[in-house]
Amino acid sequence: MKILQASIVGAAALAVAYAAQAQDYRSQAISVMKRDFHAKGIATMDRLDEDTLQQICNRSDNNPPKGLAESLQHDQLQGIKYPADGKFLGDWKSGEKIAQRGRGMTWNDKQGKTSRNEPNGGSCYNCHQIDTKTTSFGTIGNSLAHFGKTRGYGPDIQKYVYGKIYNAKAFNLCSKMPRFGHSETLTEDQIKDLVALLLDPNSPVNK
Amino acid sequence: MSSIKLRAVVALSGLALVCAAQVARSEAAVPKKAAAPAKKAAPESKSAIAAEFEKFRDIMEDASPAELFEAKGAELWKQKRGPKNASLEKCDLGLGPGVLKGAYVRLPRYFADADQVMDAERRIVYCMVTLQGFKESDLAKQPFSKGSHVPDPVSLVTFVAGQSRGMKIAAPQKHPREREAYKVGEEIFDYRAGPWDFSCATCHGDEGLRIRTQDLPDLSTKKGAIAAFQGWPGYRMTGGLMHTLQWRLNDCFRQQRFPEPAYVSQTLSDLMTYLAVNANGQVYKGPGIKR
C-alpha cells in the first residue's frame, strides 16, 4: 500500500515534469481524439483514457526513470491473480489454439468472445515464434521456440510465465506485450493452457 | 508456382473485363471477392510469399485494377451530380480550382476556406458537400468498399492520386496549422491506450518487424513512411476491394483495440500529415495493389 502511494506520487511528479515539454501537442492530440472518436460495439470511449502506466510510458517515450519503473512494476506485480489451486500447467493443445487465434477485443468482437463466438485469442503468433512447425509468425516479440527446453520446466519458471502472460508490464514496464489477464482478455484456464504450451515437456514447442 | 501465376492472371483479367464493362455503364461496383488469388495455396514463409507477391505485382503492372477506378473517378469528377447538379471541376485541392496535376503529393495542407488541414479524401468530401450539395453524414454512412459497393470518394481519390503519378511527395509545412498538424499527428501516432496498450508505434515504430508474415513499415522514419503512400489508394487482393488510406488507418485503429475515428476527421488528417511529411522527397508511383 505504501509502495503504491509512493509510486503514484512519483508518477504524478514525472507527469508534471514531462508535461512541461509535450503538454501542448499531447493534450491537443488527446482532445482531438476524444472529439473525433465514437464508441463502436465493445470498443467504448473509455479506451482512450490512459491508466497510470500508459500515461507514464507515453510521457517518457517508453523509458521512465529506473526507480519509478521499478515501483510501478511492483504495483503491476501485486495485481496478478495467481491460480488458487497453485497449479500453472493446463492443456498445451488448447494453448496452441489460443496462441494461434488473433481475434478478440476489437469493435467487431463481442464481450469476452470473438465475433465467431469463440473465446478470445492471445494472438501470440502475431508477435512470437513458438512451435517451429508454424512458419507464419511475427517478430515484435522474441522467439519462444523450445522455451522449456532452454529455460527449464520447474515451478519458478511456470509461475514467471503465468505472470508474464497475465501482466507483461509487471516484468518490463513499457513492454509492447499486452496484459492479457489484467485486461480480462484471457481467463485463468486459458493462461494455464498457454503456460503448458511453453512449458509442458510433451508440448511440440519443446520437441 | 506457374499455376498460381495463371490463376492470378485469369482472375484479374476476368475482373478487368467486368470492371471495364461497369465503368462503361458508370456504376461503381466490382464483383464480390473477384480476386483472392491462391490465398490458401500460398506458401507460409515470408520470403516465399513476398517473392510471389512481387511476381504477381509485376504481372499486373500493365493492367492494374486501380486504373479502372481512376477511370471511374475521372468520370465522376466531370459529371454534374448531387442536389446542386454541379461537377467537381471547380474543386480546389490546394493548387487552385480544378488543378489536379501534383495536387495529391502536396496534401494534406491547410485550407483557409475550411480553416482545416485536410488530406485528399477529406478535401474531396468537402468539395462534394460544398459544390454538389451532398451531406457529409450520408457519405460517412458506408465510406469503405464492401461487397460490390465502391463509394464514390474512393474512385475520386484514386483518380486524383493518379494525377500525381511519378511525382515527389511534398507535403507542405509552411503554414503554422500544417506544422501543428504534424506535431499533433506525431502525438496520436505514439499514444498508447486501450485494453492492449497499443499505439501505432507498437507495430510501426521499429524497423524490420512483422505481424505473422506481414511486414510492418517503420512509419516514423523517412525510409519507412513512404509505405503509407506507395500503392495507396490500393486494390487489396485480400477480399478483392479498392481501398484508400482512410480505410487503412480505420482498420489499424480497430487492430489497436481503439474505438472508431470519424470518417474524414482531423485525427486522420493529422496522422496523414505526420506520415506524409516523414515521406517527403520520395517519388510516389501512383495508386496500386496491396496484398
Side-chain angles (χ1 to χ4, degrees), chain B residues 273-286:
Chain B
T273 304
Y274 174 68
L275 300 173
V277 172
N278 286 349
N280 268 350
Q282 302 186 70
V283 175
Y284 174 62
K285 294 185 193 153

Side-chain angles (χ1 to χ4, degrees), chain A residues 55-177:
Chain A
Q55 189 180 21
I56 295 307
C57 293
N58 280 338
R59 276 162 209 255
S60 66
D61 234 337
N62 293 314
N63 195 13
K66 200 159 161 272
L68 178 60
E70 275 167 9
S71 76
L72 282 173
Q73 261 171 237
H74 183 87
D75 295 349
Q76 298 288 314
L77 201 59
Q78 298 295 302
I80 296 177
K81 287 194 203 86
Y82 288 101
D85 62 5
K87 297 205 176 83
F88 297 108
L89 283 194
D91 169 12
W92 66 260
K93 287 195 188 109
S94 155
E96 168 68 10
K97 289 195 192 113
I98 300 162
Q100 290 280 1
R101 196 178 303 137
R103 290 167 188 270
M105 304 297 276
T106 76
W107 68 55
N108 286 340
D109 299 304
K110 302 179 186 171
Q111 198 68 51
K113 281 189 247 159
T114 71
S115 54
R116 299 178 181 175
N117 259 333
E118 294 166 326
N120 285 337
S123 63
C124 317
Y125 279 99
N126 281 9
C127 295
H128 293 284
Q129 180 179 41
I130 306 179
D131 179 351
T132 51
K133 282 204 281 300
T134 293
T135 54
S136 165
F137 60 87
T139 58
I140 295 178
N142 52 317
S143 171
L144 304 175
H146 311 300
F147 194 83
K149 225 166 149 182
T150 47
R151 302 280 283 271
Y153 298 102
D156 287 355
I157 188 90
Q158 289 180 15
K159 187 176 181 192
Y160 161 68
V161 170
Y162 185 95
K164 180 74 188 175
I165 300 170
Y166 191 99
N167 187 340
K169 272 73 174 181
F171 304 89
N172 175 4
L173 193 72
C174 299
S175 170
K176 288 187 171 190
M177 179 164 154

Side-chain angles (χ1 to χ4, degrees), chain B residues 88-102:
Chain B
L88 288 169
E89 286 162 311
K90 290 207 179 90
C91 179
D92 182 356
L93 294 172
L95 305 181
V99 182
L100 296 175
K101 206 145 200 66

